[in-house]
Amino acid sequence: MIPSDTGGSAEHQAEEPETLTDRAYRQIEELIVTLALPPETVLSEQSLAAKLAIGRTPIREALQRLARDGLIVILPRRGILVSQINIKRQMRLLEVRRELERLMARGAAERATEEEIAQFAAIARDMRRASDKADDMAFMRLDREFNELVSHSARNEFASRAMGLMHGLSRRFWYQHYREVGDLPLSARLHAEVAEAIAARDPDAAAKASDRLLDYIESFTRKTIET
């Protein structure tokens, strides 16, 4: 997941221009989430700036955001490390995520604009295509795009802020384990069902689809303990 494009079809890309800090954040997060930068990797602003061809100021600002997300740890006098993956932390995260995901799915179904409804429909189609092809890279990018669209269209800044702290950690955990215990086609279909319910402006169906998705994610997470 290193290429510079944002992934997903152009019809459901955000219209707002991407800042250099946003681009640095997106690209570094992608490297961490896909384990191209494994846990405990030592990072430096200089090397990341050279690798991504972005200035050190946007890199520094992106790293501060990633630290808030829990994906890196900034240690005074020791440097910057990619954070470890912790199963107990992941289970605690899921307790909160279930409630927030349901709330935001309902909110998106009730408050999304017509343009956002069309974007949800497009993501649902692309998720089903990723399911049919078992395309992990397409799924990972669509998952991020879907999360960002739900967060925006739910129009609840408090829920969005809380969810923003969980998405990167959740995607990284999935990427680490899905080949052993995951069912990528099923996960993509479950995401598509949430997007389709939102596109249909059906809050109850969106909430139920969100719970089905979280049921699967919890099952997946517990299976990682058994492997």
Side-chain angles (χ1 to χ4, degrees):
M1 293 177 68
I2 300 174
S4 59
D5 63 318
T6 58
S9 61
E11 63 185 313
H12 44 88
Q13 290 299 314
E15 294 182 358
E16 297 177 1
E18 187 178 48
T19 67
L20 284 175
T21 298
D22 290 338
R23 180 156 67 91
Y25 172 85
R26 172 175 55 80
Q27 292 184 334
I28 298 169
E29 190 221 37
E30 196 168 82
L31 290 168
I32 294 172
V33 165
T34 60
L35 305 178
L37 293 173
E40 300 191 350
T41 298
V42 178
L43 306 178
S44 76
E45 292 177 9
Q46 184 175 355
S47 62
L48 287 169
K51 182 180 184 68
L52 303 178
I54 299 175
R56 290 185 65 173
T57 296
I59 294 290
R60 184 179 304 116
E61 292 171 349
L63 290 173
Q64 291 170 350
R65 286 171 59 183
L66 290 163
R68 289 195 296 271
D69 291 351
L71 287 171
I72 67 169
V73 180
I74 300 175
L75 301 172
R77 296 181 297 279
R78 289 186 56 192
I80 304 167
L81 300 178
V82 177
S83 65
Q84 295 181 341
I85 298 174
N86 184 297
I87 182 65
K88 291 182 180 178
R89 186 184 188 193
Q90 194 68 23
M91 293 302 297
R92 293 195 301 271
L93 179 154
L94 287 176
E95 291 179 5
V96 180
R97 183 179 167 187
R98 175 181 288 274
E99 303 304 319
L100 287 174
E101 292 271 19
R102 184 191 304 117
L103 172 69
M104 294 176 69
R106 277 187 172 277
E110 293 170 347
R111 304 178 190 124
T113 65
E114 289 302 317
E115 180 181 1
E116 289 164 348
I117 289 296
Q119 291 171 352
F120 277 114
I123 288 175
R125 290 194 298 270
D126 287 350
M127 275 290 191
R128 290 198 177 277
R129 189 176 301 119
S131 173
D132 292 341
K133 296 181 179 179
D135 187 335
D136 59 344
M137 292 302 187
F139 169 75
M140 292 287 285
R141 290 187 174 125
L142 286 164
D143 180 51
R144 176 174 179 169
E145 188 176 352
F146 170 74
N147 290 336
E148 290 175 350
L149 184 58
V150 171
S151 182
H152 181 73
S153 60
R155 289 175 172 79
N156 184 322
E157 68 272 29
F158 301 104
S160 296
R161 196 175 302 150
M163 277 303 304
L165 300 175
M166 304 181 197
H167 285 151
L169 290 170
S170 296
R171 284 199 306 277
R172 182 175 65 160
F173 189 86
W174 163 265
Y175 196 87
Q176 183 189 39
H177 295 288
Y178 85 90
R179 290 182 179 87
E180 291 79 27
V181 298
D183 186 336
L184 189 149
L186 174 59
S187 182
R189 288 196 301 274
L190 291 170
H191 279 81
E193 288 175 5
V194 181
E196 287 161 353
I198 294 172
R201 294 194 181 280
D202 188 333
D204 289 341
K208 290 176 182 177
S210 177
D211 279 344
R212 289 195 298 273
L213 174 58
L214 266 293
D215 286 343
Y216 166 72
I217 292 173
E218 283 190 13
S219 173
F220 163 81
T221 304
R222 293 184 188 282
K223 285 180 181 177
T224 68
I225 303 174
E226 301 168 3
T227 58

